[in-house]
Amino acid sequence: MARTVTELLTITADFFQKKGIESPRLDAELLLGEVLGLSRIQLYTHFDQPLQEAELDEFRELVRRRGKREPVAYILGRKEFFGRDFIVTHDTLVPQPDTEILVETAVTELKKYPPENPLKVVDLCTGTGAIAVTVALEMKGKAMVTATDISSEALAVAKQNVEALAADAVTFRQGDLFGALKPGEKYIAILSNPPYIRKDEMASLLPEVQAEPELALCGGVDGLDFYRRLIAEAPDYLEPGGFMAVEIGAEQGEQVAGLARAAGAYLPESINIIRDLAGHPRVVIMKKKS
């Protein structure tokens, strides 16, 4: 007897739970919806629909991959971020909801500046381009965004996302942080979600996270290597009164803010820690002295 949608969701969610997967039911719904071309809501309006043999074979393969803790985003080849679908591959980090806070912080701050000319923004370590594309689209033509990454493979994915989402205000440079920029270039905003996992934490990450590129995860022995470089070098590329906003790990707020205060190039009152909905530090913002 052919299995129905309801039966398969129940069986698969139970299987995923036994594998230690954090969101077993959701993942089962996403994978089955992919096979059937249905949204999660539509699955429940087709609850008694039996699967054809070819559909069942395809679903089994996706379940097998997820059971080995391959991230759902890599299996589907996409991940939603800020209400838009972004292409994702094994060459990029999977965009996370926490990073939306960095985007919201940046857009709120950018809207405070006079809009006579497009505002120049740079997104360092762009990965899928989620930050750069979203800022450009949310600013509705009032910002020109340069997206950089050391990985040519990641930049290729970001370019696909720019084309798919018609983010014409985004351009690309390849290089290591500010090495991708030209001396003397100035920006009103520098944004980055840099690698920030401590080296000794890498082995204890969830298998799904370990599947992501190590180059985009590991921030050195204490996780702060990239923040030291960003905070030290950013003033050379910021307009007077411009700002830098960076995503941080949940326990790095005071450390990164302390680095900014010690640098002496930023207004002390402008160095702020932005918390996520759970109350954890998630973004540090700082403004260059005029």
Side-chain angles (χ1 to χ4, degrees):
M1 181 183 296
R3 296 285 191 181
T4 65
V5 165
T6 297
E7 290 172 330
L8 285 170
L9 287 177
T10 300
I11 292 168
T12 305
D14 182 61
F15 170 70
F16 285 164
Q17 187 170 32
K18 291 176 180 175
K19 288 287 185 178
I21 290 171
E22 291 187 328
S23 52
R25 185 76 180 192
L26 172 61
D27 291 2
E29 292 169 351
L30 291 172
L31 296 180
L32 188 54
E34 176 73 7
V35 170
L36 298 179
L38 300 174
S39 68
R40 292 173 60 205
I41 293 175
Q42 289 172 327
L43 286 175
Y44 290 96
T45 63
H46 294 74
F47 67 93
D48 58 351
Q49 175 181 323
L51 267 68
Q52 302 297 319
E53 193 61 36
E55 294 171 333
L56 191 56
D57 288 343
E58 182 181 354
F59 182 58
R60 286 193 186 107
E61 174 58 18
L62 300 189
V63 170
R64 181 194 66 79
R65 292 170 63 184
R66 185 67 187 109
K68 291 188 173 182
R69 306 299 291 271
E70 184 177 353
V72 171
Y74 288 163
I75 297 172
L76 300 181
R78 65 180 183 277
K79 179 66 184 290
E80 183 181 323
F81 182 85
F82 229 87
R84 303 177 179 95
D85 276 346
F86 282 80
I87 298 165
V88 176
T89 76
H90 288 81
D91 295 313
T92 66
L93 290 184
V94 177
Q96 297 297 325
D98 286 339
T99 304
E100 294 185 359
I101 297 167
L102 174 59
V103 171
E104 290 169 353
T105 300
V107 170
T108 297
E109 195 66 28
L110 285 168
K111 288 181 177 178
K112 297 176 182 177
Y113 290 85
E116 288 88 356
N117 299 306
L119 300 168
K120 290 182 64 178
V121 179
V122 62
D123 171 31
L124 304 176
C125 309
T126 198
T128 60
I131 295 170
V133 168
T134 305
V135 168
L137 294 177
E138 292 297 311
M139 289 299 295
K140 303 183 189 310
K142 295 178 181 177
M144 299 295 294
V145 185
T146 300
T148 81
D149 206 288
I150 195 171
S151 165
S152 59
E153 292 83 3
L155 284 177
V157 175
K159 289 176 182 178
Q160 291 181 61
N161 283 316
V162 163
E163 293 172 4
L165 295 168
D168 299 332
V170 179
T171 57
F172 298 94
R173 306 267 189 89
Q174 184 177 357
D176 182 17
L177 293 185
F178 295 102
L181 306 180
K182 298 175 183 177
E185 287 185 331
K186 299 291 184 181
Y187 296 86
I188 203 68
I190 295 171
L191 311 176
S192 187
N193 177 18
Y196 58 71
I197 305 297
R198 293 200 320 265
K199 191 171 183 178
D200 64 355
E201 291 180 312
M202 293 293 293
S204 62
L205 295 173
L206 288 172
E208 289 86 349
V209 180
Q210 292 189 36
E212 301 185 55
E214 182 176 348
L215 182 68
L217 291 171
C218 185
V221 174
D222 62 359
L224 301 175
D225 283 2
F226 285 85
Y227 299 113
R228 292 188 182 94
R229 293 175 59 192
L230 286 165
I231 288 168
E233 298 175 35
D236 291 337
Y237 296 90
L238 277 174
E239 296 279 3
F243 71 94
M244 180 163 67
V246 293
E247 183 172 334
I248 58 171
E251 299 177 356
Q252 295 174 322
E254 288 300 331
Q255 293 172 301
V256 175
L259 290 173
R261 286 189 286 267
Y266 306 95
L267 291 168
E269 64 272 21
S270 77
I271 301 168
N272 288 305
I273 299 169
I274 311 298
R275 296 180 180 272
D276 59 25
L277 295 176
H280 301 304
R282 189 54 58 191
V283 169
V284 174
I285 186 169
M286 61 203 77
K287 186 174 289 188
K288 181 181 174 180
K289 292 179 178 177
S290 298

